[in-house]
Amino acid sequence: MGLAYRAFLATRGRSGGERSSGKWSIVLNAPNVLSLLRLVLAPLVVWLLFQGRMREALIVLVVAAVSDGVDGFLARRYGWHTELGAALDSIADKLLLIGTYLALGYLGLLPGWLVALVVMRDVILMAAVLLRSLLYGPVRIRPLLAGKVNTAAQVILAIVVIADEGLQLGLGGLRPLLHMAIAATTVMSAFAYFKEWLAPRQLARPDAGDRSAAGR
């Protein structure tokens, strides 16, 4: 009996260790590590901008942008999709872009109306998700093409502005055109998400569906 009990405890210990190791492997997979890297780089970009170190800010921003593309590729290629990874990726992207745009707006390198539009879009979408969750249950959020295009366009504008300031590229004529393009993609992506979330299939309450199925 004693031997059997000790064997049972040993088995529990091994399985617990394996579970713990599995959890850490999920947390520390490559896409999640890259998202954590962007969380660190985001405030660094803002600090460099306020210090007037445009070239260093440009390098850090490009590294952050490349890491975003790489972690998405790795997640798709190897199936490393996790809820934690999706949350980290979204938070890192928002922190990087909103922080960079607020800094560029404060420094007078982006028009205030555009910075306000970019920030308000994210604030309104987050408020909409919260309200919809309270009214209809959890929201199934999936990235849309319009959102990806908008994020890429916003990153490109930030890189162009910082590169123009740091390297004196003479892109003053191009920047207003990019401002209008980013404004358009920002508004279109917001409408795309609202259309997705307000679709009838999304608004059906899970408990209502369960009752309907039980009735049949």
Side-chain angles (χ1 to χ4, degrees), residues 92-149:
D93 289 345
K94 298 306 178 190
L95 183 61
L96 178 67
L97 283 173
I98 291 178
T100 300
Y101 270 63
L102 286 174
L104 291 174
Y106 181 84
L107 295 171
L109 302 178
L110 281 179
W113 65 265
L114 181 61
V115 175
L117 180 63
V118 169
V119 174
M120 287 304 299
R121 172 213 181 249
D122 287 333
V123 171
I124 291 172
L125 288 181
M126 287 188 288
V129 169
L130 177 60
L131 179 61
R132 189 199 170 289
S133 298
L134 292 174
L135 294 177
Y136 298 101
V139 185
R140 180 178 177 272
I141 300 176
R142 63 185 183 88
L144 301 180
L145 177 60
K148 294 179 180 180
V149 170

